[in-house]
């Protein structure tokens, strides 16, 4: 499998902070400012959500963001334009549902299938994909297209994923693995489940970075999770909450962007802090 | 888990283990009758559900259309529609699997009421997700679910209809998958649901085929069933699929038009078999009402039970194979079918079912010999909408509608 | 035409010839199966009505009451109640008699809807008289009758309820008796109606008795049925009357009290078997709720289908002969029975039927062995009243009623 | 069978005019004035309705009168009191439903059955009964009680009554027979059916007077019917209409009474006129 170099590089210097936003939420320009604020705040990779009308894997926070983005006119082509125009210096991962990937070829007059979408994504500078409704069993066509264009395909490992299914994913994953911290859908929660630790242990032998997501909302949590062995943390709902609060209070775009940047700084700092603690633990262990 | 290229399991990873566990249970209990599961299921369908349902010759329609019209009376099943066949099967299966909780989504409320009944009957705690707008449109069904002891959770996201309720149920399942079974209401969703729901509903055509031999002395020339998600359709077709001489007609909701409004993201119909394109929705690859880039369209039908942008993958496959003929009739024709059956046979059909009779009214000249129409449900739930929708249109066989408003 | 001193033919002279003609038709077609009438009737009951209905073991109730509780599922009959057994029989008989028009009265609308269905099925013009107040309380049933093509005539006289509708139907009949058959809705009225309606409804106990042999290996210890006019009661009892070992319980509507308010002419119950005196009403001598000089009392029950001041003369006779035990449960107990069956077995009963389950809930300790309860009808028609009446009272097993009003 | 002398006498001088009113409509005192007005207007016999709560044989006119009378407090005992107090010089026939006759004994602490009611009726001066829901087949107990007290029992012959049923009635009738002019229930109509003539012919051999009722509302109709062979005419709804109009327009009792008397005079005159015509016809026939 191809490995995307930009993503590999993002994990090279230690654990990565990976924020998520729905592209186009609440509109094209604001959304650009928000994504750029995340980069400014210290994101190592950014997951960009291309909104799909039936986001079955999302909690209500991100679902509402997707509704706003769709109402704001976001489409796959506008998404690619957005990515092209984006002024950030971190690798970008496209998070969307399979039907949009599958249909894109046909919307351009060709056959349905993932090739056209991946080709165009590569063109605009996307480095990889997360597709929440595409389990490994159905992923071969997309995996092949990613390989052809040097893009990563990230899979989500759930607390319930075990045995053969882990094998299936390990064979197909590249870039990083998205470790789902707890059962349920996306959404900011304050608890960090014991399942995270167990999941990380189950994946110990995998040679891709393990980024933990679902329910992370503070620098403290980020630090604890990274200290427990994660190679990265993924944060979505806690950031989308800031966007939503901005929309609801009709706050100026730059103020919301600044709040996002601040939150990103907190989470990035937490990530580094966790890395430092882990190194200290390792040093302790070494000296013991 | 595939029907040609259709079907599959396009679901979040967290659900995959549950789906694999379900697939295993499906194979053992449903396909192999382990622990006598199918025997118990069939016995409960008979005693609790009221099976077999009759295959009734519709004398007056037969005369009117110069055909031998037979009605498969699923409207007589407990709850008033074919939905119980599936709900009872899945709730019982959940019990065999050791699950201790049931969840389901519902749009018009028919699947929800069937699930709530089955859950009460089998003593399983049950939560039903239902869009807030649907709750307001279908209060009697909400009352029924609650009276049966189910917890009905209003879904306020989006437009508050079936789509949002499905997403919310998926969310609940994703969080509770170890203890909970999600009772999907049609032959849709990831494998094994389409196959399993078909197998539970196949009792319709199993009986109908046997009854046809008794009453017609052989196979019918055609079988007609309305198609939304397609569970009554596949139930009515399943045992006739291998009988090449039997024509199978899936009647979709043509709504107000088969044309789509791409700009507004609206398909003013629910005719995914007739007009949809291949895509992935709610766990399966199938035919969908979608815009050119793959966003799911808002579908429309006077019948809320047909109002869905997807369709069962097996039906999509059978259409591609030319085994099933997809046809569509519009809202007006459905209302005409509604009044025709009510007036002529003394059976008030569900608006879903009325589409099959609208097709018969419009196209009976193209048919010949004997026809079985699946009366998938009764119309008690639809009285108000049928009257309102009829009043708003010119339906040739409508009764004098003034009598529904004036003086009473 | 007599059951002991009960029964008879107390009708205006103008109707006597029609009643004699009907008696003749009853003897020829019903009793002697002339022209295969009974064969056709039974076949249509099966194909159109959905007979046989199941005899279902109620596992959860059985456990709760430490009894073997079996449910005779008349709620699954087409239309949702046992009423079709009689309506279909009479409309078919009218056809055999060469009548070309059907009239009927209806209170709650159940008999009217059953008659309208049967009339549409058999292509007979049909007029249904219904009190204006009942029309306003039972709009869905009015819609159903009209959708089936019947003419529903509002009766504005008096309080606009069943009594007035009966009088108005009698008037129509008195004027049109040569061409018209009056489909009486219960085992009441002049001979041959009580016997004929019993014979049409007796299919309930004919099936139940046979099913009991299959499922229980013999006769049940008791049969329980609610009693208003008494058609489901006599239907459920008829074939067990000669089985001395089977106890027969007729559960009447105790309303709010078994005491009467002579001054106001009101009996706040409908318990004519338990508390009524012999008298003459609507063509027959029977037990009645009447004041001391013989004026008919206004009866009351939360269940409009039981809300009648008279009762079938044969039941009055069987009570005097100690063959049938009359019992009564009040409105509260009926609601408790309503919720019990809904929550525990996934079957929402009619409020009429709920009285039988109220009796079971209150008196199960006095019963032993196996009990058949006749589930005479489904509760879809009663959702609104059941919820309102429950909210207004303290019912121990009521669900959290706030959920029916708040937020949805 | 006993024959009541007063009733026999009423038919002795030629065809009788027999009006009906519901006793107690709209109240006790007014009702008395109305009945007395009928007598004043030339009634030969008066049918007094004792209101029953379920008057299944009545049309809406008389049904409404019955509702008014019941609401005005009319009961069997009040009815008897009313008859006792009545200051009229014509025979009175009680028209009511069988349940009131049947229950009266029990209401006085005895057994149910017609004896007590008939005894009390005889006491207050009632000469006979019409019981619309009591066909001949069920009438033996009442017939026996009437015989004991010298009261007549009038039966209604409908257009549909034929064969054995006529025999049953002929064996039990006394006083007069009530010939129902058409199918349906009571109520003023302007048509006089051909059925009347046919019915009279069918009853030709009966040795009781034949009084025709149902739908007679004018002196002209009365004359025609009597000319066609009736021994009497019975008029109810056309008179009750006058009472109802009085109630609805809140007319003083004596004005309504005067209108009733006037209508009675018209109908009585019509009855005499019909008799004269018939005699002329007979004379014509004799002279032919």
């Amino acid at each position: 499998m191809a490995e995307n170099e930009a993503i590999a590089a993002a994990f090279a210097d230690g654990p990565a902070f990976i924020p998520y936003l729905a592209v186009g939420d609440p509109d094209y320009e604001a959304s650009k400012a928000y994504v750029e604020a995340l980069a400014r705040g210290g994101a190592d990779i950014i997951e960009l959500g291309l909104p799909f009308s039936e986001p079955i894997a999302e909690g209500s926070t991100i679902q509402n963001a997707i509704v706003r983005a769709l109402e704001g006119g976001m489409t796959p082509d506008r998404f690619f334009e957005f990515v092209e125009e984006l002024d950030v210096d971190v690798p970008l991962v496209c998070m969307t549902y399979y039907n949009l990937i599958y249909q894109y070829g046909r919307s351009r007059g060709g056959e349905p299938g993932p090739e056209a979408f991946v080709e165009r994504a590569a063109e605009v500078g996307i480095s990889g994909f997360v597709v929440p409704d595409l389990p490994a069993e159905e992923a071969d066509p997309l995996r092949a297209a990613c390989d052809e264009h040097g893009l990563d395909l990230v899979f989500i490992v759930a607390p319930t994923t075990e045995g053969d299914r882990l094998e299936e994913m390990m064979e197909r994953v590249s870039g990083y693995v998205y470790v789902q911290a707890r059962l349920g859908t996306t959404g900011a929660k304050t608890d960090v489940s014991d399942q995270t630790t167990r999941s990380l242990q189950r994946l110990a032998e995998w040679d891709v970075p393990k980024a933990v997501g679902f329910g992370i909302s503070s620098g403290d949590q980020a630090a604890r999770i990274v200290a427990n062995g994660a190679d990265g943390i993924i944060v979505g709902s806690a950031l989308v909450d800031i966007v939503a609060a901005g929309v609801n209070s009709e706050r100026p775009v730059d103020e919301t962007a600044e709040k996002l940047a601040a939150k990103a700084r907190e989470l990035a700092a937490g990530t580094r802090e966790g890395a430092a603690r882990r190194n200290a633990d390792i040093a302790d262990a070494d000296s013991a | 888990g595939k029907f040609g290229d259709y079907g599959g399991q396009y679901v979040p990873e967290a659900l995959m283990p549950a789906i694999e566990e379900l697939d295993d249970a499906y194979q053992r209990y449903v396909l192999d009758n382990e622990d006598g599961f199918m025997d118990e299921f069939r016995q409960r369908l008979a005693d609790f559900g009221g099976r077999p349902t009759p295959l009734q010759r519709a004398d007056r329609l037969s005369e009117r259309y110069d055909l031998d019209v037979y009605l498969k009376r699923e409207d007589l099943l407990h709850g008033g529609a074919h939905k119980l066949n599936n709900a009872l099967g899945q709730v019982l299966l959940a019990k065999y699997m050791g699950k201790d909780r049931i969840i389901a989504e519902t749009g018009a409320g028919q699947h929800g009421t069937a699930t709530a009944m089955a859950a009460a009957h089998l003593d399983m705690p049950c939560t039903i997700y239902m869009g807030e707008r649907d709750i307001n449109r279908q209060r009697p069904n909400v009352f029924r679910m609650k009276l049966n002891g189910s917890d009905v959770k209003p879904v306020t996201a989006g437009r508050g209809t079936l789509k949002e309720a499905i997403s919310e149920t998926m969310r609940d399942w994703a969080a509770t998958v170890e203890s909970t079974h999600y009772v999907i209401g049609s032959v849709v969703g990831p494998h094994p649901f389409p196959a399993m729901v078909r197998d539970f509903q196949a009792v319709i055509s199993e009986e109908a085929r046997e009854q046809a031999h008794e009453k017609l002395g052989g196979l019918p020339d055609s079988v007609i069933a309305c198609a939304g998600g397609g569970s009554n359709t596949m139930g009515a077709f399943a045992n006739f699929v291998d009988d090449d001489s039997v024509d199978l007609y899936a009647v979709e909701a043509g709504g107000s038009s088969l044309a789509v409004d791409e700009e507004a993201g609206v398909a003013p119909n629910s005719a995914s078999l007739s007009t949809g394109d291949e895509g992935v929705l709610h766990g399966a690859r199938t035919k969908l009402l979608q815009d050119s880039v793959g966003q799911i369209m808002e579908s429309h039908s006077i019948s809320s039970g047909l109002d869905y942008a997807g369709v069962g993958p097996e039906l999509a496959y059978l259409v591609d194979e030319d085994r099933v003929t997809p046809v569509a009739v519009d809202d007006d024709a459905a209302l005409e079918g509604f009044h025709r059956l009510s007036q002529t046979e003394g059976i008030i059909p569900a608006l879903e079912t009325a589409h099959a009779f609208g097709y018969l009214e419009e196209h009976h000249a193209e048919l010949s010999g004997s026809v079985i129409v699946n009366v998938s449900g009764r119309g008690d739930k639809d009285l108000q909408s049928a009257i309102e929708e009829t009043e708003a249109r010119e339906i040739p066989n409508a009764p004098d509608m003034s009598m529904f408003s004036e003086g009473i």
Side-chain angles (χ1 to χ4, degrees), chain A, chain B:
Chain A
M1 283 171 303
E3 290 281 344
N4 181 274
E5 290 175 13
I7 289 179
F11 287 98
D13 296 335
F17 161 51
I18 312 173
Y20 163 96
L21 280 180
V23 169
D25 171 26
D27 61 56
Y28 191 93
E29 289 304 329
S31 184
K32 215 182 320 171
Y34 298 159
V35 172
E36 286 166 2
L38 296 179
R40 224 164 45 236
D44 298 302
I45 297 171
I46 298 177
E47 289 186 355
L48 295 176
L50 163 57
F52 177 55
S53 54
E54 317 300 317
I56 56 171
E58 316 299 344
S60 56
T61 304
I62 292 180
Q63 186 191 23
N64 289 334
I66 285 172
V67 169
R68 286 192 299 269
L70 287 172
E71 284 172 355
M74 186 45 56
T75 66
D77 279 327
R78 291 281 283 161
F79 174 84
F80 290 130
E81 202 181 315
F82 180 98
V83 175
E84 259 182 334
E85 292 180 7
L86 211 53
D87 183 20
V88 296
D89 195 21
V90 293
L92 302 170
V93 170
C94 169
M95 182 157 182
T96 193
Y97 286 76
Y98 192 59
N99 199 49
L100 294 186
I101 296 173
Y102 183 76
Q103 298 301 331
Y104 190 72
R106 191 171 53 202
S107 79
R108 313 269 286 192
E111 287 295 297
E115 298 78 9
F117 190 92
V118 174
E119 185 183 349
R120 178 73 182 127
E123 235 173 69
V124 299
I126 290 289
S127 296
F129 294 103
V130 185
V131 188
D133 67 342
L134 191 72
E137 287 79 352
E138 308 285 355
D140 285 344
L142 179 59
R143 177 71 264 177
C146 285
D147 284 349
E148 199 182 319
H149 296 280
L151 266 60
D152 282 332
L153 181 54
V154 172
F155 286 103
I156 298 170
V157 171
T160 47
T161 312
E162 285 174 342
D164 290 352
R165 306 220 63 266
L166 280 174
E167 297 297 314
E168 297 270 348
M169 264 185 258
M170 198 169 74
E171 281 168 23
R172 290 172 179 83
V173 73
S174 70
Y176 57 96
V177 62
Y178 186 143
V179 180
Q180 183 177 328
R182 53 167 174 74
L183 280 178
T185 47
T186 56
K189 292 278 168 83
T190 49
D191 68 308
V192 177
S193 167
D194 286 349
Q195 287 177 317
T196 315
T197 316
R198 284 200 302 274
S199 295
L200 289 171
Q201 283 162 355
R202 261 186 315 183
L203 303 177
E205 289 173 24
W206 290 30
D207 61 1
V208 291
K210 291 111 201 142
V212 174
F214 273 55
I216 302 173
S217 58
S218 71
D220 275 1
Q221 284 177 312
R224 248 179 298 140
I225 289 168
V226 171
N228 282 339
D231 301 315
I233 59 145
I234 304 171
V235 180
S237 299
L239 300 166
V240 170
D241 278 341
I242 295 171
V243 176
V247 171
N248 293 337
S249 60
E250 298 179 19
R251 193 180 284 146
V253 169
D254 54 356
E255 276 183 35
T256 296
E258 198 33 59
K259 283 179 188 289
L260 283 167
K263 190 71 183 177
R265 279 191 289 272
E266 172 195 336
L267 292 159
T271 307
R272 287 192 299 274
E273 160 69 17
R277 265 193 245 161
R278 183 166 55 174
N279 290 339
D281 286 351
I282 293 167
D284 283 359
D286 284 352
S287 65
Chain B
K2 294 273 167 109
F3 309 97
D5 287 336
Y6 297 106
Q9 298 178 310
Y10 296 82
V11 294
E13 177 56 31
L15 298 180
M16 283 301 294
I19 282 175
E20 293 192 326
E21 182 192 353
L22 182 64
D23 194 19
D24 175 65
Y26 166 56
Q27 293 185 34
R28 291 195 288 123
Y29 295 122
V30 180
L31 299 184
D32 299 338
N33 192 28
E34 193 174 303
D35 298 344
F37 170 85
M38 284 302 284
D39 303 327
E40 180 173 354
F41 169 55
R42 289 305 179 93
Q43 190 61 47
R44 287 189 187 271
L45 266 188
D47 291 350
F48 177 62
R51 300 213 73 90
T53 60
L55 183 71
Q56 177 206 336
R57 186 170 192 280
D59 295 339
R60 297 184 61 196
L61 284 185
S62 296
E63 195 182 339
R64 177 178 180 84
Y65 298 138
D66 196 21
L67 290 168
D68 270 317
V69 180
Y70 284 83
L71 309 177
K72 181 60 179 164
R73 297 290 305 280
E74 293 301 297
D75 61 304
L76 292 177
L77 200 65
H78 183 44
H82 70 290
K83 291 288 184 189
L84 186 72
N85 296 324
N86 170 45
L88 187 64
Q90 287 199 49
V91 177
L92 188 64
L93 187 64
K95 239 181 149 66
Y96 273 64
M97 291 169 71
K99 302 288 181 187
D100 56 23
R101 178 172 173 263
I102 286 295
I103 56 174
E105 92 294 321
T106 197
Q110 291 303 93
H111 173 56
T113 54
T115 305
M117 282 173 173
H121 177 65
L122 293 166
D123 200 10
M124 284 283 262
C126 176
T127 298
I128 312 273
Y129 290 92
M130 189 167 182
E132 198 161 45
R133 184 163 145 216
D134 284 339
I135 283 180
N136 286 322
R137 289 192 293 188
Q138 307 281 349
R139 287 181 71 87
N141 276 339
V142 176
F143 290 165
R144 291 165 80 194
M145 291 182 259
K146 291 185 168 185
L147 288 171
N148 284 145
S150 282
D151 187 13
V152 179
K153 292 228 158 117
V155 177
T156 55
R159 278 184 301 275
T161 61
L162 178 61
K163 281 183 1 170
E164 290 82 12
I166 292 177
S167 297
E168 195 66 28
T169 317
M170 290 262 185
R171 274 176 211 125
D172 181 319
W173 204 28
T176 60
V177 64
E178 287 155 317
S179 64
T180 297
H181 175 67
Y182 175 10
V183 181
I184 285 188
S186 192
V187 288
V188 301
H191 177 81
F193 282 107
M196 182 175 71
V197 176
R198 174 206 62 208
D199 289 350
F200 287 142
Q201 292 289 1
V203 66
I204 300 173
S205 50
E206 184 185 314
E207 287 175 5
R209 196 170 182 284
E210 200 177 301
Q211 290 164 324
H213 276 93
E214 282 164 28
K215 303 212 167 194
L216 292 76
L219 291 168
D221 293 297
S222 319
V223 178
I224 302 179
C226 65
S231 71
N232 98 83
T233 336
M234 279 313 305
F237 292 173
N239 286 276
F240 293 109
V241 166
D242 291 339
D243 300 319
D244 291 337
S245 70
V246 181
D247 294 331
L248 306 175
Y249 294 92
V251 186
E252 296 193 292
S256 57
S257 161
L258 289 184
V260 300
D261 181 349
E262 170 100 24
E263 189 65 33
V266 170
N269 61 68
S270 305
S272 16
L273 288 173
S274 307
T275 73
D277 295 311
E278 193 188 333
V280 173
L281 176 66
H282 292 147
R285 185 180 295 197
T286 186
K287 291 183 185 285
L288 301 179
L289 299 180
Q290 53 188 332
D291 68 14
S292 61
V293 301
Q295 302 288 10
I296 306 309
M297 294 252 193
E298 197 181 337
S299 59
H300 275 295
S301 166
I302 43 164
S303 154
S304 42
L306 298 182
D307 196 349
Y308 180 60
V311 66
E314 188 173 10
L315 271 172
Y317 169 72
L318 291 171
V319 164
D320 282 3
E321 296 287 301
D322 287 333
R323 182 64 195 95
V324 165
T325 308
V327 294
V329 298
D330 65 13
D331 291 340
D332 286 16
L335 286 167
E336 199 175 342
F338 176 87
H339 293 296
R340 179 66 61 214
L341 191 70
S342 301
Q343 290 161 7
T344 310
E345 293 291 343
I347 300 167
I348 302 174
L351 280 176
E352 292 80 10
T353 313
H355 285 75
F357 290 95
Y359 180 74
L360 196 59
E361 179 84 9
E362 281 191 347
H363 296 274
H364 58 89
E366 299 154 32
L367 301 167
S368 63
S370 55
V371 181
I372 292 178
V373 187
N374 193 33
V375 185
S376 56
R378 59 172 146 91
D380 300 49
K381 68 184 182 68
D382 290 324
L383 295 177
Q384 196 63 45
S385 4
I387 288 164
E388 282 168 13
E389 296 285 352
T390 301
E391 268 175 341
R393 296 152 201 267
E394 294 283 328
I395 307 298
N397 63 342
D400 173 10
M401 299 308 292
S402 65
M403 69 185 177
F404 292 106
S405 41
E406 87 189 2
I408 50 171

